[in-house]
Amino acid sequence: MPHAIDSTCPKQPVIKALFGGTFDPIHYGHLQPVETLAYQTGLNQVILLPNHVPPHRPQPEATAQQRLEMVQLAVQDSPLFTVDKRELERTIPSYTIDTLESFRQELGNKQPLAFIIGQDALLSLHTWHRWQELLSFCHLLVCARPGYQTQFSTTEMQQWLTKHQIYDPSQLGSKPNGYIYLADTPLLSISATDIRQRHQQGLSCDDLLPLSVQKYIDSQGLYRQ
Ligand code: ATP
């Protein structure tokens, strides 16, 4: 006799995650750790958010449109990822906290929402605008990144991490926000800075980013000087 579907079986919670970056260009150091993280934590969707870089900061070499197109090309065949243009479409640059507020308005306050960062970003989180409020909007999922310390340099930040850190990712679906999970993701020594420099020097970047992005960079003549 075929098994009947057990209607008492608890439904897996839907967990969406946001992943912001300059993506100048997007590379495997962004994509591969996040794919592993999604598998480990049961993320259903990762929303890539190319940043609007404020005028007073060093500007990306590619335009906002080019960075967006590279992100779209990189994930066009992957159902895990979608791309959201809201930060690029704002006339004024927004902070991450503003973006989280905007997603919360859409999703409501009950659905689990996560924000993904690399270890380097975690270590400088205390410099982010209203960083203390981030966990009121989302969980933080942190991908390992080689070359960065695994501990904060201040006791205050280390205590903050200890207070919110969880070790069992299945807890992420149990509340909408407030946890920090440091994931055991592959260590990839890839940075956009290095890719831009390699292009300038005429070196191959084949193993560092998707072929579709590499072709786009070539066709647009990006990162040559
Ligand atoms: P750049 O070299 O221009 O500073 P980047 O390669 O660090 O760029 P960003 O777009 O600034 O890339 O990063 C977006 C997010 O991706 C950040 O949270 C960062 O920590 C994370 N990230 C980038 N590269 C890696 C990597 N190799 N491993 C893990 N996380 C990464």
Side-chain angles (χ1 to χ4, degrees), residues 1-224:
M1 204 178 115
H3 291 289
I5 294 169
D6 180 2
S7 59
T8 59
C9 177
K11 252 177 63 188
Q12 283 284 99
V14 173
I15 309 180
K16 289 188 187 211
L18 311 175
F19 182 36
T22 312
F23 302 130
D24 184 27
I26 191 162
H27 52 71
Y28 285 140
H30 299 123
L31 298 168
Q32 290 179 358
V34 169
E35 280 166 7
T36 306
L37 170 77
Y39 180 73
Q40 286 173 356
T41 58
L43 296 179
N44 306 83
Q45 189 190 13
V46 175
I47 302 167
L48 295 166
L49 286 158
N51 297 153
H52 182 148
V53 180
H56 60 274
R57 298 260 183 83
Q59 287 301 297
E61 287 191 36
T63 64
Q65 184 62 27
Q66 287 171 326
R67 291 185 292 117
L68 171 66
E69 286 175 14
M70 289 189 279
V71 171
Q72 287 170 331
L73 284 169
V75 299
Q76 64 189 353
D77 297 322
S78 171
L80 173 66
F81 293 100
T82 57
V83 185
D84 189 287
K85 296 189 277 189
R86 77 186 65 196
E87 290 204 349
L88 293 178
E89 282 170 348
R90 284 177 65 110
T91 44
I92 47 161
S94 51
Y95 294 103
T96 296
I97 199 88
D98 302 322
T99 303
L100 287 165
E101 266 169 349
S102 135
F103 273 93
R104 270 292 170 216
Q105 271 167 18
E106 280 171 26
L107 299 174
N109 291 329
K110 292 196 177 134
Q111 187 175 329
L113 176 66
F115 194 84
I116 302 172
I117 53 176
Q119 177 67 17
D120 55 311
L122 177 70
L123 294 175
S124 62
L125 203 75
H126 60 284
T127 64
W128 290 24
H129 182 57
R130 291 166 59 196
W131 71 271
Q132 293 96 332
E133 293 171 59
L134 291 170
L135 289 176
S136 313
F137 289 90
C138 63
H139 301 302
L140 280 178
L141 306 179
V142 184
C143 292
R145 188 168 187 181
Y148 293 91
Q149 289 176 340
T150 52
Q151 299 263 318
F152 280 105
S153 53
T154 64
T155 320
E156 186 200 1
M157 288 307 290
Q158 197 58 39
Q159 280 171 348
W160 171 79
L161 171 63
T162 307
K163 184 169 165 205
H164 300 286
Q165 187 172 7
I166 54 161
Y167 296 88
D168 174 4
S170 71
Q171 285 180 260
L172 292 167
S174 69
K175 62 178 201 175
N177 56 282
Y179 288 136
I180 304 174
Y181 179 66
L182 307 192
D184 185 12
T185 49
L187 291 169
L188 296 175
S189 285
I190 305 176
S191 72
T193 306
D194 183 43
I195 290 175
R196 294 193 298 272
Q197 283 170 357
R198 291 181 69 85
H199 273 105
Q200 228 175 32
Q201 295 159 5
L203 299 172
S204 159
C205 293
D206 288 356
D207 300 335
L208 308 178
L209 74 182
L211 184 61
S212 54
V213 178
Q214 180 57 59
K215 283 187 177 160
Y216 182 88
I217 291 171
D218 291 341
S219 71
Q220 299 281 311
L222 279 170
Y223 312 128
R224 291 204 180 145

